[in-house]
Amino acid sequence: MARHQGIRQFRCFIDGEWVEALSGETFESIDPFTAKAWATIPKCDARDVDRAVEAARRAFDDGEWSKLTATQRGHLLRRLGDLIARDADHLAAVEVQDNGKLIAEMRGQVGYIPQWFYYFGGLADKIEGGVQPIDKPEMFTYTRHEPVGVVAAITPWNSPLLLLTWKMAPALAAGCTMVIKPSEFTSASTLELMRLVEEAGFPKGVVNVITGFGADVGEAISTHPGIDKIAFTGGEVSGRRIAQQASSNFKRLTLELGGKSAQLVFPDANIDNAVKGVVSGIFAATGQTCIAGSRLLVHESIHDQFLDKFVALAGTARMGDPMEWTTQVGPVTTRPQYERILSMIDMARGEGAEVAMGGKPADRPECGDGWFIEPTVLTGVKNDMRIAQEEVFGPVLSVIRFSDDEEAYHLANDTRYGLAAGVWTSDIARAFTAARRLRAGNVWTNTYRAVSFMMPFGGFKNSGIGRESGQDAIYDYLETKSVWLAFNKDVPNPFVMR
């Protein structure tokens, strides 16, 4: 697929209109492969947040959207899914130019995104309350589920459309309206998606996108009294700040934060498959994923054999232009992240880790002027080192030995995160035991990085609050209302609780 040539100019989408930021200012979006600007994005501020929230509030409270049945909302979601499927090639190319991830990965993601809109479109009119048995005579009680209101979605730069979809599909199915703030590094694909929202026929104000920086836009969203819920994917520090700011008016929260996920390779594992799985877990997507399997816990009896095979396979990875289908490792998305990864590798060396592979910028002709880092393997890592405890968000694997199952579970759980874990074993009893013992929201056995619109996704501990995808997700965008109907003829003593 080809890059867009020249500088594209994007606008925000507020109340069904394409508008500039009220400030009139813009900022550049940089192609990570060329390290050159390819688009300009509106630089919004709190005034634009007010505009978007007011539009979403009107649409939710008394606009056309509020009058649609759940079945009608479902039709719109399925229509949007069809349009995304139609334009998947274009959306994927925009995403690659904006964030530098592989076209093979992003085309696969975008091609899969319609399934979320089909699934939640079908679920929209299947949300049932229920008649509740009650211990009080002459009372009839039931529950109903109602949309939480205006939802703000704040999304990251690594998989902008997929992670927006995880919020957007259930929120709209539930009947909420939305204000979306994409990452300032990768706003283009979200704005392109709004063209399809418009074409699908969503009423004005239901979905709004404002772009800009955290200090100008993110903080205004977190504290805005007109927003009822925030759904955020990003780093732990930002998530904590959002939670603190949102507490001022008790906004509902879904937070999908970081991870320091372990892949456990036991001595009975199929080593060749495990090698492929660990490579996929850390070097696919250049390690820029919250579920990156950045800690390899390998049994001491197979440590050397496994490491030899791992380095041999990882060393064949083709680096280069992410727009090329044959590329396997692309650039780091942002310059600040590129510098942070290299500094963390230096920090690991200072802690006593040894570089078995990579550990430096990629100096290859096929990498052009982009921000590339060689796939890196660190050995001699202890679990209390910072490199084993802090999220790198890059192509850096820490290798840690273990001697028995108990030590493996202890090491895997000995982190403040709990997003994911991988288990490689041929023993079914060990697989079930590991799934129970590991404190992580997602546990894969003999596979890694598998997601589905049908399966809940989220983390334990500092990896977040709430779940995305699966039927569980829609309830995070609903409030439960209890309804009491009394049919007794005479009101009893009013001074006593019924």
Side-chain angles (χ1 to χ4, degrees):
M1 293 186 183
R3 283 182 167 73
H4 175 82
Q5 301 300 314
I7 303 294
R8 281 199 62 181
Q9 296 178 334
F10 286 89
R11 292 183 175 183
C12 292
F13 188 68
I14 299 176
D15 204 17
E17 302 292 335
W18 294 98
V19 298
E20 303 286 354
L22 286 174
S23 67
E25 297 182 53
T26 62
F27 60 94
E28 293 180 333
S29 189
I30 308 298
D31 182 335
F33 178 67
T34 64
K36 293 180 174 61
W38 78 281
T40 60
I41 307 293
K43 186 172 185 264
C44 295
D45 58 30
R47 295 173 298 166
D48 300 291
V49 174
D50 287 340
R51 282 199 297 173
V53 174
E54 287 168 8
R57 192 85 257 165
R58 283 194 303 272
F60 179 79
D61 290 337
D62 51 23
E64 181 185 343
W65 178 253
S66 68
K67 298 175 179 62
L68 296 182
T69 66
T71 302
Q72 290 170 321
R73 294 198 305 269
H75 288 324
L76 284 173
L77 285 168
R78 290 191 291 275
R79 171 61 175 155
L80 179 57
D82 289 341
L83 294 174
I84 293 169
R86 182 197 71 188
D87 289 358
D89 286 345
H90 171 67
L91 291 170
V94 171
E95 195 121 287
V96 172
Q97 190 156 7
D98 220 21
N99 76 353
K101 289 181 75 172
L102 305 183
I103 187 62
E105 166 112 348
M106 303 321 289
R107 180 58 180 83
Q109 282 188 14
V110 177
Y112 196 29
I113 280 173
Q115 297 301 326
W116 270 265
F117 290 101
Y118 300 151
Y119 180 83
F120 285 101
L123 189 59
D125 58 5
K126 314 291 188 304
I127 302 303
E128 301 175 348
V131 174
Q132 304 299 314
I134 199 70
D135 63 341
K136 301 183 185 300
E138 299 183 330
M139 292 276 188
F140 179 80
T141 58
Y142 65 95
T143 58
R144 52 181 284 123
H145 298 290
E146 300 179 358
V148 70
V150 175
V151 173
I154 303 175
T155 55
W157 45 258
N158 58 329
S159 290
L161 286 182
L162 181 66
L163 298 177
L164 170 59
T165 296
W166 289 8
K167 300 158 182 57
M168 188 173 168
L172 295 178
C176 299
T177 57
M178 301 193 73
V179 174
I180 299 166
K181 183 215 171 293
S183 166
E184 61 269 26
F185 294 108
T186 54
S187 300
S189 59
T190 299
L191 293 170
E192 284 292 280
L193 179 64
M194 292 307 104
R195 300 186 186 281
L196 304 187
V197 168
E198 189 177 31
E199 184 179 348
F202 281 81
K204 289 185 176 183
V206 174
V207 186
N208 307 273
V209 177
I210 46 177
T211 54
F213 296 82
D216 301 320
V217 176
E219 201 154 322
I221 286 173
S222 299
T223 57
H224 202 291
I227 292 173
D228 301 295
K229 175 184 170 69
I230 296 176
F232 169 78
T233 298
E236 178 189 359
V237 172
S238 297
R240 181 177 290 108
R241 183 168 178 80
I242 287 171
Q244 291 168 344
Q245 293 172 337
S247 67
S248 63
N249 64 341
F250 301 103
K251 289 180 175 63
R252 306 297 188 261
L253 288 174
T254 300
L255 302 175
E256 197 274 280
L257 307 177
K260 196 65 186 177
S261 302
Q263 293 229 50
L264 289 68
V265 182
F266 291 96
D268 63 339
N270 179 314
I271 291 182
D272 290 337
N273 285 341
V275 165
K276 294 175 186 176
V278 177
V279 166
S280 171
I282 189 58
F283 296 143
T286 320
Q288 298 175 115
T289 171
C290 54
I291 55 175
S294 54
R295 288 184 301 150
L296 167 61
L297 308 183
V298 59
H299 193 272
E300 59 188 10
S301 66
I302 59 170
H303 175 277
D304 293 349
Q305 177 190 7
F306 186 94
L307 195 58
D308 287 346
K309 289 193 171 189
F310 181 86
V311 170
L313 178 60
T316 66
R318 292 185 294 274
M319 303 183 76
D321 187 346
M323 284 287 189
E324 298 292 337
W325 287 89
T326 56
T327 300
Q328 296 173 314
V329 177
V332 175
T333 298
T334 77
R335 179 80 192 189
Q337 183 62 16
Y338 169 81
E339 293 172 351
R340 180 178 180 273
I341 294 167
L342 292 174
S343 72
M344 292 193 75
I345 294 171
D346 289 341
M347 175 191 72
R349 287 192 180 98
E351 291 181 308
E354 298 180 2
V355 176
M357 174 181 174
K360 62 182 186 301
D363 184 18
R364 309 185 188 190
E366 59 268 31
C367 294
D369 297 321
W371 303 312
F372 285 82
I373 295 175
E374 293 283 352
T376 297
V377 177
L378 302 173
T379 59
V381 175
K382 305 299 181 185
N383 205 54
D384 59 356
M385 291 179 178
R386 287 180 62 191
I387 196 64
Q389 292 293 320
E390 298 179 12
E391 188 174 35
V392 178
F393 221 70
V396 180
L397 179 68
S398 296
V399 183
I400 303 170
R401 299 171 184 256
F402 69 85
S403 58
D404 57 37
D405 290 22
E406 286 300 313
E407 185 182 15
Y409 302 142
H410 171 75
L411 290 169
N413 292 331
D414 184 21
T415 168
R416 66 181 183 271
Y417 297 109
L419 188 56
V423 178
W424 297 89
T425 179
S426 298
D427 185 334
I428 190 66
R430 176 178 275 147
F432 278 105
T433 299
R436 176 174 56 84
R437 294 289 302 277
L438 293 169
R439 295 284 296 163
N442 306 274
V443 179
W444 293 287
T445 300
N446 297 330
T447 188
Y448 205 78
R449 290 187 79 221
V451 296
S452 170
F453 53 93
M454 302 175 76
M455 278 293 283
F457 181 92
F460 290 10
K461 300 187 283 187
N462 285 25
S463 287
I465 300 170
R467 292 295 181 270
E468 297 186 307
S469 299
Q471 291 189 35
D472 292 31
I474 199 168
Y475 290 98
D476 276 342
Y477 296 91
L478 294 165
E479 298 277 23
T480 299
K481 179 180 285 184
S482 298
V483 181
W484 298 71
L485 299 176
F487 50 88
N488 50 296
K489 294 181 180 179
D490 298 314
V491 175
N493 185 348
F495 297 100
V496 178
M497 180 182 283
R498 295 297 307 276

